[in-house]
Amino acid sequence: FTTAALVLGTLHGARAEEEQEVRGFPDLARRSVTFWSDGTRLAGDLTYPKEFANGGKHPCLVLCHGWGGTKRHLNGQIAPRFAKAGYVVLTFDYRGWGESDSRLVVTGEMPKADSEGNVTVTARAVKQLVDPLDQQEDSDAALCFVEGEQMVDTDRIGIWGSSFGGGHVIWRAANDDRVKCV
């Protein structure tokens, strides 16, 4: 996918759920979101002060977890603390981890496509594989997603990483003009 295709797929293929309470943080809200990275559905959560739902543009942080982590680990205390400080916060699961779909690998021969270009294959779901290049594509898709969020000020997007995710965010910030702080 090109970046343009990724943005189009992200903005038009995104899905958001209803607002939920954030346990222990009564002034915050969280909603589950879905977006796409290289044809794979990713699961994410947006956490933000409830007052942000009333309008306006606000700074945003995309949180990238470390080796073997999931958004659930970041949603406990880290994401709410950033949201309480005045950020829209996106946590997400890399492909093959947590609630995100897996990459599919075709097993056997690739069949010929039908008249509409469709094929039916047997595939294996690849779960819990740490692939730095895929994870960079996923963090790019996360940034594309937040760019389309109405409450996000696209001139104030930051990225934060824990453990192995710290390396991802340094590379992303050095190579992506959308990232304004790490």
Side-chain angles (χ1 to χ4, degrees):
F1 286 92
T2 65
T3 301
L6 188 60
V7 170
L8 280 175
T10 301
L11 297 178
H12 297 292
R15 192 189 77 205
E17 303 292 333
E18 276 188 33
E19 246 181 36
Q20 304 164 359
E21 294 287 324
V22 179
R23 188 175 57 180
F25 296 88
D27 53 340
L28 300 180
R30 177 173 292 141
R31 64 183 159 91
S32 297
V33 297
T34 298
F35 57 100
W36 298 87
S37 177
D38 194 23
T40 303
R41 183 195 64 84
L42 300 183
D45 291 319
L46 276 178
T47 305
Y48 49 90
K50 287 181 180 178
E51 65 195 52
F52 284 10
N54 297 331
K57 298 287 187 183
H58 309 281
C60 177
L61 290 173
V62 174
L63 306 189
C64 298
H65 57 74
W67 193 286
T70 62
K71 64 183 176 72
R72 183 177 55 84
H73 298 120
L74 298 174
N75 283 343
Q77 291 292 316
I78 296 170
R81 292 193 188 280
F82 281 126
K84 194 153 179 60
Y87 294 92
V88 176
V89 181
L90 175 68
T91 57
F92 67 98
D93 290 328
Y94 296 119
R95 67 185 84 177
W97 292 87
E99 297 173 19
S100 290
D101 288 346
S102 301
R103 174 177 295 285
L104 298 177
V105 177
V106 175
T107 57
E109 294 290 319
M110 175 67 81
K112 297 238 184 265
D114 66 17
S115 62
E116 295 179 9
N118 296 318
V119 296
T120 300
V121 299
T122 301
R124 184 175 45 116
V126 178
K127 296 287 284 177
Q128 298 183 342
L129 173 69
V130 176
D131 183 326
L133 298 177
D134 281 353
Q135 291 177 345
Q136 280 297 330
E137 285 182 356
D138 296 350
S139 65
D140 179 56
L143 288 166
C144 289
F145 174 79
V146 298
E147 281 184 304
E149 274 297 305
Q150 289 183 350
M151 70 176 85
V152 171
D153 179 348
T154 58
D155 290 326
R156 295 189 294 163
I157 297 175
I159 193 164
W160 179 94
S162 68
S163 186
F164 194 59
H168 286 323
V169 302
I170 291 169
W171 188 93
R172 176 63 46 200
N175 293 283
D176 193 325
D177 292 339
R178 297 173 294 181
V179 176
K180 304 303 184 210
C181 70
V182 178

